[in-house]
Amino acid sequence: MTTTPTPIADQVAGIATGQAQQLSAEVLQVFASEQSALDAAGAPAGIAEAGAPMPDAELLDVDGNATTLERTRSGRGAVVVFYRGVWCPFCNAALHAYQRELAAVLEDRGLALIAVSPQKPDGSLTMKEAHELSFAVLSDPGNQIGRRLGIVTRPTDDVRQAQASLGLDLTAVNADGTHDIVMPTVAIVDAEGIVRWIDVHPNYTTRTEPAEILAALTTLD
């Protein structure tokens, strides 16, 4: 019997239900206010558009070795996923779904699947091992690529205090020691390194569904 995969949106709803039962009312209010503000602000101006070259930079693999997007692509087209870090439950749900529903399909089509975050390599390794990811998981110290794509953001002081109350200090987990993170983003890059499609989510509780990525790939064929 074939089981229909649970959409990321439904998994996010489950995460939210769990948080409502586990977190204090004060922390929940801070996160709810943050998400409302992100929804109201929408995508910032200046985000890279289809047709632009995909930026590249010196990145780190899960073992801390230097690499780049181009080197990791190895001349292939790619689906590049930018996520906040292993500490983010919504990121975990998304990458797990991409492994389950995209990794083999993309491999069959000769496309790479690559995940990039600002966290240290040990966080990338934890993400890769926890979800048995078959694809490359890279660290971008300083959000070099994210800045050039226009998708870098920073939590407000209230959010950072709420995170600290939960034991999270972004300066300790990010490779550059800052609070800067990326908006969850998926970009389809062709073999020449050109962005053909990009989907940016200012509100980190929403994600690009695997079906949306596959549909975009179909339109680009």
Side-chain angles (χ1 to χ4, degrees):
M1 179 177 178
T2 302
T3 302
T4 301
T6 303
I8 298 173
D10 290 352
Q11 296 179 56
V12 166
I15 293 169
T17 299
Q19 289 182 335
Q21 298 170 348
Q22 298 168 6
L23 304 182
S24 70
E26 181 179 4
V27 167
L28 288 170
Q29 181 56 52
V30 170
F31 290 157
S33 296
E34 175 192 31
Q35 292 157 25
S36 295
L38 292 171
D39 284 334
I47 289 177
E49 298 180 350
M54 170 60 81
D56 206 350
E58 286 295 319
L59 309 178
L60 300 172
D61 66 17
V62 295
D63 297 314
N65 299 316
T67 189
T68 64
L69 270 183
E70 183 176 1
R71 197 177 309 159
T72 305
R73 287 196 305 108
S74 300
R76 299 170 292 171
V79 172
V80 185
V81 179
F82 295 88
Y83 71 103
R84 307 197 304 164
V86 69
W87 51 270
C88 170
F90 311 104
C91 298
N92 281 269
L95 290 190
H96 185 75
Y98 297 156
Q99 172 63 41
R100 182 182 64 238
E101 300 176 48
L102 287 179
V105 176
L106 296 180
E107 184 68 25
D108 287 345
R109 297 179 65 159
L111 300 172
L113 178 58
I114 304 169
V116 182
S117 82
Q119 68 189 343
K120 296 175 182 177
D122 59 352
S124 300
L125 179 61
T126 298
M127 177 66 85
K128 189 174 180 72
E129 292 181 340
H131 298 286
E132 299 181 335
L133 304 181
S134 61
F135 52 89
V137 183
L138 308 178
S139 297
D140 180 7
N143 290 293
Q144 304 160 88
I145 297 176
R147 291 187 191 286
R148 293 169 64 186
L149 288 175
I151 61 172
V152 173
T153 185
R154 176 180 293 180
T156 64
D157 289 344
D158 286 346
V159 171
R160 292 202 296 269
Q161 290 174 11
Q163 290 173 337
S165 73
L166 301 175
L168 172 63
D169 178 3
L170 289 178
T171 65
V173 299
N174 280 349
D176 66 350
T178 72
H179 290 97
D180 294 345
I181 48 178
V182 288
M183 299 175 188
T185 298
V186 174
I188 297 175
V189 182
D190 65 20
E192 286 69 46
I194 302 300
V195 176
R196 300 291 305 281
W197 182 84
I198 186 167
D199 187 35
V200 181
H201 288 247
N203 184 335
Y204 55 86
T205 65
T206 66
R207 300 298 164 115
T208 310
E209 296 285 352
E212 294 177 289
I213 298 170
L214 293 174
L217 285 168
T218 298
T219 64
L220 295 173
D221 284 343

